[in-house]
Amino acid sequence: MIALLLLATLQSFGQKLKIVEKPIIWDSTRIALSVEYLKQRHGIEQTQPTIRPKMVVVHWTAIPTFEKSFFAFNSPTLPNARKELQNASQLNVSAHYLIDRDGTVYHLMPDTLLARHVIGLNYCAIGIENVGDGSKNPLTEEQFRANYLLIKQLQKKYKIEYLIGHHEYTKFKGSKIWKETDPNYQTVKSDPGDDFMNKLRKKFKKLRKEP
């Protein structure tokens, strides 16, 4: 499938933000599982899996290439290898955006539909995944610039109040914004790390990192 290249008008760091539309599978199975996830995990009953974004959560994929990262998100259902997540839901993990190591931003799904990427907060969070990890494939300067430009654009479209790294999500447990029906459902995350988030937050001083 030939992706459509969209050029955003944002200018910073001397370059434009490039967003490529490359949707993951969004079929009746994914819709049904997403509606089910909202009800069972967040206690929210809706006929469609829509969200109202007020948070951006930044991740790394822990996968070295864009192709393998996209493949991991594309299926509507979890692969058998993700047994630690299957008891919570069969809905596959995903994100709204996937940023390759050269800074190219791929739009995987609409911002206002639910993606499974952060426990307790999916109902209000836009997810940004970055190809790489914290050791062999550390996130690049090009990815940092793309994250900055993308978040700045999202701020203009939605009432974004929070900006967090995936490793910071448990700070919201017990707050009004936290919605997870099982208090024991939690995973330990390290992405994308304090260094990346501290550098990014210097650009967004008005966005909060905790409730």
Side-chain angles (χ1 to χ4, degrees), residues 3-209:
L4 297 176
L5 180 64
L6 301 181
L7 296 179
T9 57
L10 272 175
Q11 285 273 22
S12 184
F13 299 101
Q15 64 176 247
K16 292 181 179 179
L17 176 65
K18 297 178 181 179
I19 301 180
V20 178
E21 294 289 337
K22 189 172 176 61
I24 56 175
I25 295 171
W26 186 263
D27 58 5
S28 60
T29 297
R30 196 164 216 142
I31 293 171
L33 288 173
S34 299
V35 170
E36 181 184 74
Y37 191 100
L38 274 170
K39 180 179 180 180
Q40 294 186 354
R41 300 262 56 89
H42 294 322
I44 299 172
E45 292 195 43
Q46 297 179 179
T47 57
Q48 295 295 321
T50 55
I51 69 170
R52 292 183 179 181
K54 57 183 173 182
M55 171 184 291
V56 173
V57 183
V58 181
H59 309 252
W60 64 41
T61 63
I63 300 172
T65 67
F66 169 80
E67 291 77 15
K68 290 181 179 180
S69 297
F70 181 84
F71 179 80
F73 300 136
N74 195 33
S75 172
T77 57
L78 274 172
N80 291 331
R82 302 301 300 269
K83 295 186 183 300
E84 77 279 10
L85 301 178
Q86 288 180 352
N87 288 337
S89 174
Q90 287 296 314
L91 177 64
N92 195 13
V93 296
S94 60
H96 299 87
Y97 296 90
L98 177 59
I99 301 181
D100 204 352
R101 300 188 60 73
D102 65 357
T104 302
V105 179
Y106 293 88
H107 194 196
L108 305 187
M109 58 183 291
D111 304 341
T112 55
L113 292 177
L114 179 134
R116 182 184 183 181
H117 62 101
V118 57
I119 293 171
L121 302 167
N122 291 305
Y123 76 97
C124 68
I126 291 176
I128 301 175
E129 288 277 0
N130 292 273
V131 176
D133 55 47
S135 54
K136 292 183 179 180
N137 299 284
L139 302 188
T140 66
E141 185 63 24
E142 290 81 5
Q143 285 174 308
F144 172 79
R145 289 195 294 267
N147 275 268
Y148 166 70
L149 289 169
L150 176 56
I151 295 167
K152 194 167 184 178
Q153 180 170 291
L154 293 172
Q155 272 190 298
K156 292 188 175 184
K157 293 178 67 177
Y158 309 106
K159 294 181 179 179
I160 302 298
E161 301 175 38
Y162 305 94
L163 172 62
I164 68 169
H166 195 191
H167 65 296
E168 300 170 314
Y169 82 96
T170 55
K171 293 180 179 179
F172 288 81
K173 291 189 72 173
S175 71
K176 291 182 179 180
I177 195 174
W178 179 264
K179 293 186 185 295
E180 168 50 52
T181 57
D182 181 357
N184 296 316
Y185 181 41
Q186 181 176 322
T187 56
V188 178
K189 298 296 179 180
S190 60
D191 60 311
D194 288 334
D195 290 346
F196 192 85
M197 289 308 303
N198 289 340
K199 182 180 177 182
L200 192 56
R201 266 195 285 264
K202 287 180 180 178
K203 303 290 185 181
F204 299 100
K205 294 182 179 179
K206 292 184 179 180
L207 296 183
R208 298 159 63 186
K209 64 178 182 179

